[in-house]
Amino acid sequence: MKFPKILTSALLGCLLLAGGAAAQAQPLPLPRTDEVLLQMSQAFRRGDRDRLAQLLPLARGHALEPWAAYWELRARLDVAQPAEVDAFLARWAGSYQEDRLRNDWLRLLGQRRDWSRFAELYPQFRMNDDREVRCYALLVGTLRSGAPLAPEQLDELRRNWWGLRDADDGCTLAASELYSARQLTAADVWRKARLAMDANRPRVARSAVEIVAPEASSLVTQINDNPMRFLLAKATASGATRKELVALALLKMGSTDPDTAAAQLEGKWGVQITAEERNWVWGAIGRQAATRLSPMALEYYAKVSKDADLTDDMLAWKARAALRAGNWREVLAATAAMDAPLRNDSTWIYWRARALLGGGPLEPAPVATPVPAEAAAEPASARVRGRPSEAQRAEAQRLFESIASPRGFYEQLALEELGQRIVLPQRPPPPTPEEREAVRANPSLARGLYAIQIGLRSEGVREWNYATNLHLAGGMGERELLAAAELACQNEVWDRCINTSERTRTVFDVAQRFPMPHQAQVVQRSRAIGIDPAYVYGLIRQESRFIMDARSGVGASGLMQVMPATARWTARKIGIDGFRPEQINERDTNIAIGTAYLKLALDDFQDSMPLAAAAYNAGPGRPRVWRNGPVLDAAIWAENIPFGETRDYVKKVLANTTTYAAILSGQPQSLKARLGTVGPRDAGTADPSKDLP
């Protein structure tokens, strides 16, 4: 295998000795030895312990020997002796593999309730990125000290437990013990059950109910199977447990049929459950209606008497529904009720500022009021009542200024709200020779690059991210991140180049964050078919991060992540004779087919970049439905896309496009000009997008 020159020099300086942390120059391993690592990776994925043991001696001295040793021991960790684990941790001290195995071992010790060994090992866990292990640690701390958790520790435990979607041992055990010790309340535990039922995780919901009401846990299965039958079998909701079970049934019903759940809540059950339970269920029903873009969403949310009872997800969808309806007062109310981390996200800072300028606190038109015909063609965001005060203008200005930058979608929009265009920031000084040498001498970076080059991308990415993690003790500063990003760029590992450079906060290296590989091919092909090359680059950056052999979980391939069926259809459409599926991984063919499909989507969606991007990601049928309703500012439309992946995708593609346009043209740019408005297709206009696959 041929490596770029700079990667070769990095590896020559960084190969680890068998002792672990020491390093010296050694010759590159033979390709045969690389094959051993690839075979071990496959054996690890199969759980083939015998094959791993056979191959391990052949990996001695290889640049990636720490991975070989990790796979072999991790595959049999359940039967390994503590001395073997200790020996591994000592041999590979300071490496990603050492800390990852410590994570695995801590989880196993927790499952075994070996609190003594856990307490001894946990303080050395550097990444500390495993919620379950952290729950074990909090439990061990209170068990060993006999003292209750501090308030901030209890909050952390709640966040970890509530945030886990799937069943786990560590947080569930900690919650059970702390509930028994009266540190967690019944409301805390029922909240977990509601979150789990809301996320269609009935087993997780049942495990929570077993903590607070074990005699009722079997009813969770009945509720999940048929919530209406459960409700019909109950005459009343007497007692706290029965009320919570009714709330779970209404939540389950609302996840598939919000209108029926609303009718049940307004009828028999609303008066029988508590106000907090009622608010939660109305919030869940409102959110479900909002994700369906139903005009009923705000009516459901209006039945919530206290926004503080809602989850952040419910509040985010309340804000989106209010944006769609042009109800700025409710945008302000929803964002004000969000927890600080979400409220301080650039998304909601931007919309809060827009709401202030929209005359937020003044009385809006009632949700059900019909829109006058002459206003129907206006974006809903323009239909406001009242004028903002000077104080509101000043606060909106402050909010825009707090996020305005070329970094992302809402940051760029904030710049334009302040009367500025998107221009490229001045590049920071390049890394010094000393800074470059320091990253080349970093063994984790070298291993990460090597692993990626021989086809172990997942392992390489994990190791690279470990080396560049700002949160680890001794983690990289901004100058080191720039030097590491440069190293990745020079080796054409574009995803690590981009992601590493994006970690810098005070500097912005546009060449690292927005590289343009294959420029001649992309620009020439785009211009030949009449599509903006900046738009193509913006899409490729989001689709594949310029990884040539990228392949998604659903089978999309190559730079532009084209699905096989789409590739065949587009190849026929543009006259590529004898197209074979394997050709989609060829650079020029992938660019030709991807750009052609994107151009067809643009044509079919009347040159709307947001709609075409949504069609490229989610298929054309969905945005055809999502565009129905009022004419909207495209930023509001994009924020209301029901699929989180597509919502994020559209915003990032458009922000990327704006930056690439500034690079390619050398001129200031406007994101707003690329957004425009989105609304129903004009009556009588053909809908050629129905032909798109």
Side-chain angles (χ1 to χ4, degrees):
M1 177 164 296
K2 184 177 180 181
F3 295 98
K5 182 178 179 181
I6 190 163
L7 176 55
T8 302
S9 65
L11 287 165
L12 287 173
C14 298
L15 297 183
L16 294 184
L17 290 171
Q24 70 177 29
Q26 293 187 13
L28 284 171
L30 297 172
R32 180 183 63 82
T33 323
D34 290 345
E35 184 60 33
V36 168
L37 268 293
L38 295 175
Q39 290 181 26
M40 290 192 73
S41 171
Q42 295 165 5
F44 178 69
R45 286 169 172 76
R46 296 194 307 268
D48 190 340
R49 299 180 183 185
D50 292 340
R51 183 62 174 159
L52 287 166
Q54 292 169 0
L55 291 172
L56 181 60
L58 301 178
R60 302 295 185 199
H62 190 280
L64 303 184
E65 184 185 351
W67 276 111
Y70 170 81
W71 290 326
E72 193 278 330
L73 182 54
R74 179 64 183 86
R76 58 181 179 85
L77 193 60
D78 58 329
V79 296
Q81 296 300 310
E84 292 181 275
V85 175
D86 292 342
F88 179 96
L89 298 178
R91 182 180 184 189
W92 303 112
S95 69
Y96 169 80
Q97 293 76 16
E98 174 226 355
D99 211 41
R100 191 79 279 158
L101 191 81
R102 179 180 287 107
N103 183 182
D104 303 331
W105 186 235
L106 283 168
R107 185 179 289 186
L108 192 57
L109 291 174
Q111 293 167 2
R112 292 174 176 175
R113 312 300 190 245
D114 189 342
W115 304 134
S116 177
R117 280 201 181 97
F118 185 100
E120 180 182 351
L121 191 63
Y122 179 75
Q124 286 78 50
F125 184 25
R126 295 185 297 278
M127 286 182 284
N128 204 17
D129 58 351
D130 187 315
R131 284 176 170 171
E132 185 175 11
V133 168
R134 182 59 184 156
C135 284
Y136 280 134
L138 291 167
L139 176 60
V140 169
T142 190
L143 289 177
R144 289 171 67 86
S145 69
L149 292 179
E152 62 274 11
Q153 292 176 315
L154 204 54
D155 285 343
E156 182 185 1
L157 178 68
R158 289 190 190 99
R159 288 195 305 272
N160 286 341
W161 187 38
W162 292 340
L164 285 167
R165 287 172 58 85
D166 295 319
D168 77 303
D169 178 67
C171 293
T172 303
L173 173 68
S176 179
E177 294 289 336
L178 292 171
Y179 175 72
S180 297
R182 299 187 177 181
Q183 293 189 57
L184 285 182
T185 67
D188 292 329
V189 184
W190 281 112
R191 181 184 180 95
K192 175 65 177 180
R194 293 181 199 170
L195 289 167
M197 186 63 75
D198 216 16
N200 195 27
R201 297 291 193 275
R203 189 163 68 92
V204 179
R206 179 168 179 161
S207 71
V209 175
E210 284 174 351
I211 294 172
V212 69
E215 73 286 354
S217 62
S218 62
L219 297 175
V220 175
T221 302
Q222 296 180 30
I223 290 170
N224 184 68
D225 291 344
N226 194 324
M228 180 62 84
R229 182 184 299 168
F230 174 85
L231 292 173
L232 291 174
K234 308 300 174 189
T236 62
S238 57
T241 296
R242 182 66 62 84
K243 292 178 189 297
E244 287 285 1
L245 292 172
V246 166
L248 290 181
L250 291 168
L251 284 172
K252 177 64 180 179
M253 185 184 300
S255 67
T256 56
D257 190 350
D259 294 335
T260 299
Q264 288 290 315
L265 191 55
E266 286 185 312
K268 175 180 179 180
W269 296 109
V271 296
Q272 298 197 47
I273 59 178
T274 68
E276 185 272 338
E277 291 163 344
R278 203 160 46 244
N279 287 338
W280 182 294
V281 176
W282 277 124
I285 292 171
R287 182 199 58 216
Q288 191 65 24
T291 63
R292 298 180 178 200
L293 308 181
S294 167
M296 291 296 296
L298 277 190
E299 290 194 22
Y300 292 147
Y301 275 118
K303 299 178 185 297
V304 175
S305 62
K306 185 179 177 183
D307 277 353
D309 288 338
L310 305 185
T311 67
D312 273 350
D313 190 43
M314 295 173 189
L315 290 166
W317 277 106
K318 178 182 179 180
R320 293 183 182 113
L323 287 171
R324 189 172 172 85
N327 190 327
W328 297 108
R329 177 173 182 166
E330 291 304 323
V331 174
L332 287 173
T335 55
M338 293 172 179
D339 287 341
L342 182 62
R343 187 172 64 250
N344 294 329
D345 182 89
S346 61
T347 301
W348 302 116
I349 290 176
Y350 175 82
W351 287 119
R352 185 167 181 81
R354 283 280 302 272
L356 288 167
L357 294 179
L362 300 178
E363 189 65 25
V367 175
T369 300
V371 177
E374 62 272 16
E378 297 179 355
S381 56
R383 300 194 296 272
V384 297
R385 300 175 69 184
R387 295 180 179 276
S389 67
E390 287 302 315
Q392 288 172 313
R393 290 183 184 278
E395 176 63 6
Q397 175 93 358
R398 185 192 69 79
L399 291 171
F400 286 137
E401 289 175 348
S402 72
I403 62 171
S405 84
R407 289 176 180 268
F409 184 80
Y410 285 115
E411 291 83 352
Q412 290 181 3
L413 287 179
L415 274 176
E416 295 201 61
E417 295 292 344
L418 296 170
Q420 303 174 41
R421 291 294 183 105
I422 291 85
V423 297
L424 300 178
Q426 184 176 358
R427 290 192 68 185
T432 65
E434 293 77 17
E435 289 168 338
R436 290 183 174 120
E437 185 56 36
V439 299
R440 289 189 183 122
N442 185 304
S444 279
L445 292 181
R447 277 196 299 267
L449 286 175
Y450 199 110
I452 290 169
Q453 292 285 357
I454 69 171
L456 297 174
R457 171 163 286 278
S458 174
E459 290 80 2
V461 167
R462 287 155 60 193
E463 182 132 26
W464 181 276
N465 290 348
Y466 170 80
T468 56
N469 193 327
L470 286 166
H471 302 293
L472 294 177
M476 288 189 172
E478 300 221 327
R479 295 296 303 173
E480 294 169 291
L481 288 171
L482 289 174
E486 181 185 82
L487 178 64
C489 290
Q490 290 171 339
N491 282 280
E492 299 181 0
V493 183
W494 300 112
D495 63 322
R496 294 308 94 201
C497 168
I498 294 168
N499 290 24
T500 303
S501 193
E502 281 187 329
R503 294 188 182 202
T504 61
R505 298 295 182 189
T506 62
V507 294
F508 188 113
D509 191 320
V510 70
Q512 291 181 349
R513 294 185 181 211
F514 294 88
M516 292 192 294
H518 325 296
Q519 184 171 352
Q521 293 80 9
V522 171
V523 172
Q524 180 181 1
R525 181 65 185 178
S526 299
R527 288 178 175 161
I529 64 173
I531 190 171
D532 184 355
Y535 189 42
V536 176
Y537 263 119
L539 184 139
I540 295 175
R541 185 182 185 272
Q542 187 59 25
E543 282 286 355
S544 68
R545 283 292 202 261
F546 304 102
I547 301 170
M548 289 286 293
D549 59 351
R551 187 173 179 84
S552 75
V554 294
S557 299
L559 285 173
M560 298 192 70
Q561 290 290 278
V562 183
M563 292 289 289
T566 302
R568 290 192 297 271
W569 181 87
T570 308
R572 289 195 302 269
K573 196 81 170 175
I574 63 177
I576 298 180
D577 296 325
F579 173 76
R580 303 183 311 279
E582 59 270 19
Q583 287 179 274
I584 197 59
N585 290 315
E586 298 172 1
R587 181 196 63 189
D588 292 350
T589 303
N590 190 276
I591 292 172
I593 289 177
T595 54
Y597 185 77
L598 184 59
K599 181 62 167 65
L600 289 167
L602 271 172
D603 291 344
D604 289 347
F605 284 101
Q606 301 166 299
D607 290 325
S608 170
M609 286 187 174
L611 280 165
Y616 198 97
N617 179 260
R622 293 186 177 98
R624 279 204 304 270
V625 174
W626 297 338
R627 71 185 299 178
N628 291 329
V631 177
L632 297 171
D633 176 331
I636 292 176
W637 178 84
E639 191 56 51
N640 272 274
I641 291 174
F643 294 177
E645 177 190 327
T646 306
R647 182 167 62 249
D648 185 63
Y649 177 91
V650 169
K651 291 187 289 187
K652 287 183 175 176
V653 167
L654 269 293
N656 292 347
T657 299
T658 306
T659 302
Y660 276 117
I663 295 171
L664 288 165
S665 70
Q667 299 297 315
Q669 297 294 314
S670 169
L671 172 57
K672 284 189 173 185
R674 290 177 167 81
L675 289 171
T677 60
V678 172
R681 185 178 291 274
D682 294 338
T685 302
D687 189 359
S689 65
K690 291 182 179 179
D691 296 332
L692 291 172

